[in-house]
């Protein structure tokens, strides 16, 4: 970190100059101001990491200055310098958002300890702000790529969900279709964005752990519970809890979750007290929850509560228009991330990508592009850069697609096809049996035999 900058605002020349000297010895960059008004100017111009602010200033008093500084930057770290015994005003300053206070007369060592702690806080705050900013940028709706109408409709719905803060959302779709991405994008574009987003994968933990992770426990709830612990639902206060693979959640946890959704309350394990929470639940499932309800594995009442706003993420094979835009998107992502030249797609590779069924959906596509970026230097992506299975599978899908004899989904009898083709051949040949037989690669006798069989003679 660069040298930390400290602003001292005090009207007593003696104090400012001796503090300045002392702090400069500690290798801080120190600026000073002799009045509240000047202090505010220096705060704006110098953007100090920490401000030491005398509470007793003439004209504009320290509390007023503090208030102004906090309005300029609500995360500003301000340490108040108070007169001996001035606890009352110190308390008021803390209420206005001061970080700490120190009473006159003070020694430099004590001040230094407070400054060190305050700097840690300032750095942390800055990091959190930067991370949040990055996340907000990363999870903008513009970064959900796709031109298909099914994806566009989904995004339109998700934007409304983000704006409305209607509490519960259910995202259904196969693995790799973008459920996580969507849940985060909704959170970071909602008024909850400043608060926490917590992800819990219900499959990853055994039942008892899931409950204590989600709802926390009171001291003594079980042998190991030496102290009480807050659960994730409580920690996400004001934010979003994303429950992935909700279909795997066990019935007792389902019941507790239902209560969180319906009554916005829950109890910690071993607790008697109801705790109020304001969280938005976004649940995701790659299984058909309706089936789970039918099989008695999932509570029907919870299913209906979750399903108030259902979002369906279509499989990539159902929206082939999105394949090439996604490939281009990931090419630009990985060329940036891995600091490599961008790549073009050869015509054959485009065709392979369009013919492949993408059972792993967008995740699979993303992984393949990443792999090519890591393994291949060439500026054009060629078929030999792709995993063999994909090329083979795409080729066989291609043959099927180009076959004019596609079998209908509900099946067809071979006899029906034969009869139909004989009929067509006779029509084309104008009833000339020799010509018709030739069209079908049969002898005239073989054709006549079949015509007889199908009652065409
Ligand atoms: N439409 C999309 N645009 C851009 N990236 C996407 C899109 N859909 C999915 N991804 C990316 O693909 C990967 C898998 O998506 P993910 O949200 O984890 O899927 P799921 O939770 O449904 O299994 C993630 O890296 C995600 O960012
Ligand atoms: Mg997921």
């Amino acid at each position: 970190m660069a040298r930390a900058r400290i602003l001292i605002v005090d009207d007593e020349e003696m104090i400012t100059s001796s503090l300045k000297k002392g702090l400069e010895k500690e290798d801080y960059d120190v600026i000073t101001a002799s009045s509240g008004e000047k202090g505010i100017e220096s705060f704006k111009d110098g953007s100090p990491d920490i401000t030491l602010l005398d509470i007793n200033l003439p004209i504009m008093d320290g509390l007023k200055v503090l208030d102004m500084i906090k309005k300029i930057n609500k995360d500003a770290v301000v340490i108040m310098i108070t007169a001996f015994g001035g606890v009352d005003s110190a308390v008021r300053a803390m209420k206005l958002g001061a970080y700490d206070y120190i009473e006159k007369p003070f020694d430099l060592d004590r001040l230094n300890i407070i400054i060190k702690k305050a700097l840690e806080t300032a750095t942390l705050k800055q990091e959190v702000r930067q991370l949040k900013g990055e996340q907000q940028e990363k999870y903008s709706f513009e970064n959900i790529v796709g031109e298909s109408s099914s994806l566009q409709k989904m995004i339109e719905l998700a934007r409304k969900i983000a704006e409305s803060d209607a509490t519960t959302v259910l995202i259904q779709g196969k693995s790799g279709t973008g459920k996580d991405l969507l849940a985060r994008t909704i959170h970071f574009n909602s008024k909850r964005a400043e608060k926490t987003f917590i992800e819990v994968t219900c499959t990853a933990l055994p039942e008892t752990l899931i409950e204590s992770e989600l709802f926390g426990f009171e001291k003594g709830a079980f042998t190991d519970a030496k102290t009480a612990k807050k659960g994730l639902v409580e920690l996400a206060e004001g934010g979003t809890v994303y429950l992935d693979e909700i279909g795997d959640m066990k019935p007792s946890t389902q019941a507790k979750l239902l209560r969180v959704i319906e009554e916005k309350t829950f109890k910690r394990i071993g607790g008697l007290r109801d705790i109020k929470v304001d969280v938005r639940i976004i649940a995701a499932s790659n299984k058909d929850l309706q089936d789970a309800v039918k099989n008695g594995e999932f509570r029907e009442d919870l299913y209906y509560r979750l399903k108030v706003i259902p979002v369906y993420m279509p499989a990539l094979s159902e929206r082939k228009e999105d394949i090439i835009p996604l490939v281009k998107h990931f090419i630009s992502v990985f060329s940036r991330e891995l600091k490599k030249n961008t790549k073009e797609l050869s015509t054959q590779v485009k065709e392979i990508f369009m013919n492949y069924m993408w059972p792993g959906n967008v995740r699979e596509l993303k992984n393949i592009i990443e792999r090519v970026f890591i393994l291949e230097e060439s500026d054009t992506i060629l078929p030999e850069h792709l995993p063999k299975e994909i090329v083979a599978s795409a080729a066989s899908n291609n043959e099927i697609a180009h076959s004019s004899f596609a079998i209908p989904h509900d099946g067809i009898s071979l006899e029906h096809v034969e009869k139909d083709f004989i009929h067509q051949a006779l029509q084309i040949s104008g009833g000339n049996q020799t010509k018709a037989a030739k069209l079908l690669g049969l002898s005239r006798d073989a054709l006549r035999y079949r015509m007889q069989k199908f009652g065409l003679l």
Side-chain angles (χ1 to χ4, degrees):
M1 192 174 148
R3 272 206 309 171
R5 172 173 290 181
I6 299 179
L7 165 65
I8 307 170
V9 188
D10 201 318
D11 58 324
E12 286 173 71
E13 170 66 27
M14 277 268 292
I15 296 196
T16 30
S17 65
S18 77
L19 264 181
K20 184 170 158 68
K21 252 187 232 145
L23 292 174
E24 275 171 350
K25 265 198 206 128
E26 298 288 323
D27 207 26
Y28 293 121
D29 176 14
V30 182
I31 48 179
T32 62
S34 58
S35 73
E37 293 83 347
K38 285 184 188 154
I40 290 167
E41 285 312 307
S42 307
F43 181 83
K44 278 193 212 153
D45 298 341
S47 9
D49 300 291
I50 286 180
T51 304
L52 294 178
L53 175 60
D54 186 11
I55 216 160
N56 295 314
L57 290 169
I59 313 174
M60 189 191 262
D61 80 51
L63 287 178
K64 179 79 187 138
V65 179
L66 170 66
D67 197 34
M68 299 284 284
I69 285 180
K70 280 285 179 182
K71 280 195 180 114
I72 297 166
N73 178 1
K74 71 177 171 35
D75 290 332
V77 179
V78 182
I79 300 169
M80 304 305 289
I81 303 171
T82 65
F84 178 69
V87 178
D88 278 359
S89 46
V91 169
R92 271 195 289 152
M94 298 297 279
K95 278 194 185 140
L96 282 174
Y99 172 77
D100 204 346
Y101 67 93
I102 185 160
E103 261 175 332
K104 279 181 191 172
F106 52 83
D107 65 355
L108 208 54
D109 289 345
R110 221 177 92 66
L111 180 64
N112 260 321
I113 292 172
I114 296 180
I115 288 178
K116 282 225 172 66
K117 257 186 27 205
L119 270 176
E120 276 169 25
T121 309
T123 318
L124 260 176
K125 276 191 180 175
Q126 206 175 346
E127 277 172 10
V128 167
R129 212 172 27 239
Q130 190 180 341
L131 258 174
K132 281 204 170 131
E134 278 169 15
Q135 296 226 308
Q136 238 141 7
E137 201 176 305
K138 185 168 169 196
Y139 295 112
S140 83
F141 278 107
E142 282 71 40
N143 285 340
I144 302 184
V145 175
E147 290 164 7
S148 63
S149 63
S150 56
L151 192 90
Q152 287 303 326
K153 269 192 205 133
M154 190 282 293
I155 290 179
E156 205 179 301
L157 173 62
R159 277 185 191 275
K160 286 188 190 138
I161 293 173
E163 275 165 27
S164 75
D165 200 48
T167 330
T168 312
V169 187
L170 175 62
I171 308 175
Q172 287 184 276
K174 290 274 176 293
S175 179
T177 48
K179 299 186 294 296
D180 281 39
L181 176 65
L182 184 69
R184 283 170 206 272
T185 307
I186 289 175
H187 170 80
F188 284 106
N189 287 278
S190 75
K191 67 174 208 255
R192 297 175 178 270
E194 294 288 312
K195 299 287 169 54
T196 323
F197 176 94
I198 285 184
E199 172 174 0
V200 185
T201 306
C202 303
T203 343
L205 298 165
E207 183 182 357
T208 46
L209 255 183
I210 273 270
E211 254 194 79
S212 70
E213 279 293 308
L214 278 179
F215 303 108
F217 47 80
E218 296 293 352
K219 184 177 171 183
F222 36 85
T223 341
D224 288 341
K226 301 270 190 286
T227 53
K229 189 175 163 243
K230 283 187 183 178
L232 296 173
V233 168
E234 219 172 326
L235 293 173
E237 174 62 30
T240 304
V241 178
Y242 173 54
L243 298 170
D244 200 3
E245 309 296 357
I246 187 120
D248 293 326
M249 187 180 265
K250 294 294 178 292
S252 73
T253 321
Q254 289 176 26
K256 278 196 148 180
L257 179 63
L258 184 64
R259 223 181 138 223
V260 170
I261 296 172
E262 289 194 324
E263 297 167 29
K264 305 196 181 312
T265 50
F266 70 96
K267 289 186 175 74
R268 292 185 189 156
I269 297 176
L272 299 171
R273 188 165 56 101
D274 274 336
I275 297 175
K276 275 226 158 288
V277 272
D278 165 31
V279 291
R280 163 183 258 170
I281 304 285
I282 302 183
S285 175
N286 62 13
K287 292 198 282 213
D288 191 346
L289 277 188
Q290 198 155 14
D291 281 350
V293 170
K294 268 189 216 137
N295 301 336
E297 290 154 13
F298 202 81
R299 288 180 70 114
E300 192 170 13
D301 45 8
L302 178 57
Y303 173 62
Y304 285 109
R305 281 311 275 186
L306 292 174
K307 210 180 71 124
V308 176
I309 309 181
V311 181
Y312 178 70
M313 300 297 283
L316 192 51
S317 59
E318 292 168 25
R319 45 184 172 112
K320 296 213 155 193
E321 315 90 285
D322 292 347
I323 294 174
I324 301 301
L326 277 165
V327 171
K328 291 189 174 151
H329 168 71
F330 290 125
I331 285 180
S332 98
V333 166
F334 288 118
S335 75
R336 216 177 326 126
E337 265 182 25
L338 303 169
K339 301 197 171 42
K340 293 201 172 183
N341 289 343
T342 108
K343 292 183 192 290
E344 298 288 324
L345 291 180
S346 68
T347 327
Q348 300 100 297
V349 165
K350 267 191 201 161
E351 221 169 277
I352 291 169
F353 281 171
M354 291 304 285
N355 285 324
Y356 185 55
M357 290 307 282
W358 300 105
N361 294 297
V362 184
R363 180 175 295 116
E364 185 180 13
L365 187 146
K366 183 180 176 184
N367 290 346
I368 284 175
I369 303 300
E370 183 174 19
R371 183 187 127 123
V372 172
F373 263 88
I374 292 171
L375 297 180
E376 309 294 342
E377 294 304 325
S378 138
D379 283 344
T380 307
I381 306 182
L382 300 169
E384 54 264 40
H385 300 158
L386 306 176
K388 285 201 182 60
E389 317 81 69
I390 287 184
V391 180
S393 161
S396 88
N397 289 340
N398 191 29
E399 269 170 28
I400 293 171
H402 281 109
S403 162
S404 33
F405 315 129
I407 297 177
H409 290 298
D410 47 356
I412 193 167
S413 86
L414 201 54
E415 268 192 14
H416 179 90
V417 176
E418 229 183 322
K419 186 174 166 186
D420 190 46
F421 270 60
I422 290 170
H423 194 74
Q424 282 189 50
L426 285 165
Q427 280 204 320
I428 292 169
S429 69
N432 183 324
Q433 292 178 6
T434 315
K435 273 190 190 164
K438 212 169 163 197
L439 279 174
L440 297 171
L442 296 172
S443 69
R444 185 165 173 269
D445 282 346
L447 177 69
R448 284 184 63 83
Y449 166 77
R450 285 176 169 78
M451 285 169 71
Q452 210 156 20
K453 185 166 117 193
F454 296 129
L456 293 171
L457 258 184

